[in-house]
Amino acid sequence: MTHLHSKRLSGLGPGRVLATVVGLLAALVLGASGEADASAGPSPVAAPRWTDQPHGFASLAGGTTGGAGGKVVTVTDQASLARYAAAEEPYVIRVSGAIAVEPFGSDIVVASDKTIIGVGDTGEIVHGELHLNPGTSNVIIRNLTIRDSYVEGDWDGKTTDFDAIQMDTVEHVWIDHNRFTHMGDGLLDIRKDSRYITVSYNQFTNHNKAFGIGWTTNVLTEITIDHNWFTGTKQRNPSADNCAYAHLYNNYLSAQVADGDPTWTYGNWSRGRTRMVIENSYYDGVQHPYQADATAELVQRGSILKNTAGRTDAWGTAFDPRGFYAYRLDPAAAVPALVTRFSGPRKQIGAVTLHVPADYATVQAAVDAVPAGNTEAVKIAVARGTYREKVLIPATKPNIVLQGTGQDRSDTVIVYDTPAAYGGSTGSATVRIAANDVTVRNLTFSNDFDEAAVELNGEQALAMKTTGDRIVFEDTAFLGNQDTLMTDSPKLTTVSRVYVRDSYIEGDVDFVYGRATTVIERSVIKALSRGSDTNNGYITAASTWTGNPYGFLITGSKIVSDALAGSFHLGRPWHPGGEPEAVAQVLIRNTELPAAIKASPWTDMSGFSWRDARFTEYRNYGPGAEVTADRPQMSEPDARAHTVADYLRGSDDWAPYARH
């Protein structure tokens, strides 16, 4: 597009822009935060029950990151699972559906630097064991069901060793939100001086020897065991032999197998020289809820016993867990409800999170780690900071959530400074999204090319270009001058949809443009002054395909400007390459307009008359919202067919606004 010769006024940096935006959004009162009244106090059941960061002993001594920093892969068969699990390089391995292991009871060897996580709540390993050999470190196993290696008649597991997970002399392992049931020997065996282990929110069911720790004379193992549910099990819930530190809290033991065995039916056992602390757990229908060898130590506080009998040993001082790490201790009375509700595989956990820069140095590196053809959501969490890089999310990598983790969208900025003169309009974009089903939250995108300082024939400088379908921007900011935000589609007759909500867009010339069906709702749009007394620029330049009734909708928003009164256009019709079938459709409704908007706000472009385009307004207000002969107003019946839902619905009933 042709650039105006006049330049943007200097002196308004991104910091001042964003500070202004905060005030504008406050003035708009663009919706409640949705946060509950904190005065009532937190509800133990309603509080968040999981994160993707380990806690307890697994978080110490450098922490446990699993396959973070490696590629993400999805496996559906034994061969793929075995190949990636045993690889030397780090991987995040998503298990989709049930994988039946052959021969029956075989091991899947898991090497260092791996995350194995079930997709949704359907990831299963059937008839097989995950095995960590001596020397393995930094492994996360989450959100899986491992089941059914039991050999009929072998209740004691004397002839088979078909555990769900077995590890020998390993360190930094997090076992979280899994379901272990009906295996051949142990469900979880943590053996031979394994260190820095956390076992949290798992279900141990339908088994004899649930969870054993030890098989060593050394006193080295440090282990946290919290919010696990042991039900329909007999012994080792857990048994901890020669652990340096064993911290058990908020676990739920219920419906213990009652076979009359007076000794080997029990709950927790502190054995050898173990130092064990038990806090706020709940024992219902358990024989020997907790017991300790004479050589061991066991401190118990705050637990609830119901329908129990037998030993409840407590002696020694053990240790103070808070001397090692902080943790949240739920009331014992809340444990049955909490643990039955939140333990085991969860649909929400199957969404993998890639952290920038903790695990991936750049945003692009994290995008590159997402598998091609991805069918499940992958979140890229970008820590607060400024990332000077160009980012491409290619069409082959859908289902990405790109989210800043700062308190404000201005905390996390992706910025570059390429103008169109160095690579064309598309090549100038700081970020390009070609994939479908991408959601972006709490980020700022900027192209900080200084058009006032440099004379170029090609000063267009995009902060963002999209060509994918079903793209959502929530609480985002787009900073630039000409062509700040381009929402497009792969070709003229292909309809792509973009939803922008609670966001901020600034620019001067054609800074919201393209042919995608685009809804901008509850947002602030700033038309920047270029120092002209008569023409400071154009907000929109739509190029909607004539066969598409829905182009741009700006609704429930506020347009602001530092330009002189009567010096800014609402838009002009863009016909790329003179394409006659690109006939702009723009509706601005229920939106506040500043005095900078011209009384005749639509104008021609490259020989195409604005009167041949589909430009309308509906119930706008503010000093720039006067109704003149050159301002077509949409009728009431037509307005009822031009809502947010109408623009975005498509043939698949897409309704991203419904999540709010």
Side-chain angles (χ1 to χ4, degrees), residues 237-238 253 256 265-269 278 283-291 298 304-313:
N237 298 294
L253 283 69
Q256 185 181 58
T265 301
Y266 61 89
N268 312 142
W269 194 340
I278 300 173
Y283 304 82
D284 186 358
V286 178
Q287 175 179 279
H288 306 316
Y290 43 87
Q291 58 188 356
L298 192 157
I304 292 176
L305 305 180
K306 179 181 178 182
N307 302 321
T308 63
R311 296 173 63 176
T312 53
D313 302 335

Side-chain angles (χ1 to χ4, degrees), residues 347-622:
K347 289 182 179 179
Q348 301 92 325
I349 292 176
V352 172
T353 301
L354 312 181
H355 293 273
V356 179
D359 303 326
Y360 302 85
T362 65
V363 177
Q364 188 63 58
V367 171
D368 293 343
V370 177
N374 177 53
T375 59
E376 304 292 338
V378 173
K379 178 188 286 188
I380 298 175
V382 187
R384 58 187 301 169
T386 298
Y387 300 82
R388 182 161 286 276
E389 60 173 304
K390 297 175 77 109
V391 177
L392 168 63
I393 301 178
T396 56
K397 299 197 175 188
N399 297 301
I400 287 176
V401 177
L402 184 63
Q403 183 162 342
T405 62
Q407 291 187 337
D408 187 85
R409 64 187 175 220
S410 63
D411 292 338
T412 310
V413 181
I414 303 175
V415 58
Y416 216 73
D417 59 354
T418 305
Y422 306 147
S425 182
T426 296
S428 77
T430 299
V431 177
R432 292 164 53 198
I433 300 176
N436 296 340
D437 299 300
V438 174
T439 297
V440 181
R441 301 188 183 102
N442 202 38
L443 284 164
T444 292
F445 303 98
S446 175
N447 191 320
D448 62 356
F449 166 68
D450 189 351
E451 65 174 20
V454 181
E455 283 288 349
L456 289 174
N457 184 18
E459 294 182 336
Q460 301 93 330
L462 282 64
M464 171 67 65
K465 177 178 180 177
T466 72
T467 51
D469 188 25
R470 297 182 298 272
I471 308 298
V472 176
F473 294 101
E474 297 174 338
D475 193 23
T476 50
F478 305 89
L479 311 181
N481 292 111
Q482 181 171 358
D483 295 5
T484 304
L485 172 61
M486 182 182 193
T487 57
D488 214 34
S489 68
K491 61 181 181 179
L492 177 64
T493 57
T494 298
V495 176
S496 292
R497 292 159 294 173
V498 177
Y499 180 51
V500 182
R501 180 184 173 102
D502 298 327
S503 294
Y504 172 82
I505 309 166
E506 72 168 28
D508 46 39
V509 174
D510 306 327
F511 61 95
V512 179
Y513 79 111
R515 61 174 167 249
T517 293
T518 303
V519 172
I520 299 172
E521 184 177 27
R522 297 177 20 145
S523 296
V524 173
I525 298 171
K526 183 164 187 178
L528 299 173
S529 174
R530 297 171 55 79
S532 171
D533 294 336
T534 57
N535 185 8
N536 278 291
Y538 319 88
I539 294 172
T540 68
S543 55
T544 321
W545 174 45
T546 186
N548 180 8
Y550 301 114
F552 288 175
L553 169 63
I554 299 172
T555 181
S557 295
K558 183 172 185 175
I559 298 175
V560 299
S561 184
D562 53 1
L564 292 177
S567 67
F568 228 102
H569 296 87
L570 290 177
R572 55 183 182 169
W574 181 37
H575 293 256
E579 172 57 62
E581 296 296 304
V583 182
Q585 193 279 322
V586 179
L587 167 61
I588 302 176
R589 61 178 296 171
N590 305 103
T591 290
E592 183 175 349
L593 305 182
I597 299 302
K598 289 176 172 284
S600 299
W602 310 103
T603 190
D604 303 341
M605 185 177 187
S606 302
F608 289 92
S609 171
W610 73 266
R611 297 183 184 277
D612 295 328
R614 295 168 285 176
F615 292 145
T616 51
E617 297 177 73
Y618 179 75
R619 292 190 176 180
N620 293 323
Y621 58 97

Side-chain angles (χ1 to χ4, degrees), residues 328-353:
R328 177 180 60 191
L329 193 61
D330 291 311
V335 164
L338 282 172
V339 172
T340 56
R341 179 176 175 184
F342 293 111
S343 64
R346 318 300 303 171
K347 289 182 179 179
Q348 301 92 325
I349 292 176
V352 172
T353 301

